[in-house]
Amino acid sequence: MAQSRPAVVVELFTSQGCASCPPADAFLEELAANPDVIALALHVDYWDYIGWEDAFGQEAFTERQKSYAKAVRSRTIYTPQFIVGGRERVEGNQPDAVASLVQDHAAAAGPVTLNVTRSGDQVTIHAEADPPLAAPVRVQLVRYRPSETVAIERGENAGMVVNYSNIVTQWNDVGTWPGQEPLEMSAPAEGDDPLVVILQTEGPADILAAARLD
């Protein structure tokens, strides 16, 4: 049985076909080494048309990025883009800005405590809110691969060899929690890849709690 550790979620929307992305990918690798940060790389698919198909890219991640844009009434999406705590958006590779936001989120006391344990192919999720939540939150289960190295042969990054960290492979809604009574639920979690449980308000917007199991 494994137990989780809470941390600040940083999402990076990136692509192997984006010339501006490698510096942001390198910064995410630094973030991934910080135990107080859950750094997640979501590879989008809208750069594939220029000659190099990102093997990690998924339409679902493009749609998630679009949902973030829609939530703030923006008509544009951009790579690289960081989302910190489900709330702040940082376009381009701006390590200082992201690091400052991570510190702010880490210092803020949230209303939700979250504990996640795994036994075999099942994960058990327990959460409590004090005070109770005013609106329901989505319970999300994320799986990722810790690292991969890719030799890019075509497109804007042709000839580069790039190290990628915490590559998201699945991002699934597994339930909704009203936030009044404590949450106690189980979900399947087959395989050895690390996982993250995220409790996030609708929008998508604020991440109220997150916990990782390596």
Side-chain angles (χ1 to χ4, degrees):
M1 181 173 292
Q3 192 166 356
S4 61
R5 172 182 177 138
V8 178
V9 176
V10 177
E11 300 169 62
L12 169 63
F13 292 93
T14 185
S15 173
Q16 293 172 12
C18 163
S20 302
C21 286
D25 298 319
F27 177 55
L28 191 84
E29 186 175 14
E30 295 180 23
L31 289 174
N34 184 343
D36 296 322
V37 176
I38 298 174
L40 299 170
L42 293 94
H43 287 244
V44 297
D45 65 352
Y46 52 83
W47 283 96
D48 290 357
Y49 77 97
I50 60 173
W52 179 255
E53 183 174 345
D54 190 327
F56 309 138
Q58 293 190 32
E59 182 181 0
F61 303 152
T62 298
E63 292 304 314
R64 180 170 176 83
Q65 188 182 23
K66 288 180 178 179
S67 295
Y68 272 125
K70 184 177 179 181
V72 295
R73 299 182 180 179
S74 173
R75 295 184 178 181
T76 61
I77 54 177
Y78 185 91
T79 55
Q81 182 186 52
F82 292 90
I83 307 288
V84 181
R87 185 189 313 162
E88 283 85 13
R89 292 143 177 82
V90 179
E91 294 187 349
N93 184 42
Q94 301 185 55
D96 290 344
V98 173
S100 178
L101 290 170
V102 167
Q103 288 183 342
D104 292 345
H105 279 264
V112 176
T113 57
L114 172 64
N115 187 266
V116 181
T117 57
R118 179 165 56 185
S119 183
D121 290 338
Q122 287 288 316
V123 60
T124 299
I125 304 166
H126 177 80
E128 296 185 26
D130 184 16
L133 302 182
V137 296
R138 294 158 55 194
V139 183
Q140 300 165 104
L141 181 62
V142 181
R143 305 302 300 270
Y144 67 90
R145 282 187 269 169
S147 64
E148 293 280 349
T149 300
V150 177
I152 301 173
E153 299 175 3
R154 296 181 300 279
E156 291 188 354
N157 293 321
M160 295 188 65
V161 177
V162 184
N163 296 320
Y164 294 101
S165 299
N166 292 9
I167 307 148
V168 176
T169 56
Q170 298 177 29
W171 194 302
N172 298 321
D173 282 349
V174 294
T176 301
W177 177 39
Q180 305 298 310
E181 300 298 325
L183 170 68
E184 190 77 39
M185 65 174 294
S186 295
E190 299 178 354
D192 298 327
D193 284 347
L195 64 84
V196 179
V197 172
I198 293 174
L199 305 182
Q200 187 170 24
T201 57
E202 290 292 340
D206 291 3
I207 292 176
L208 301 186
R212 169 182 51 215
L213 285 173
D214 294 325

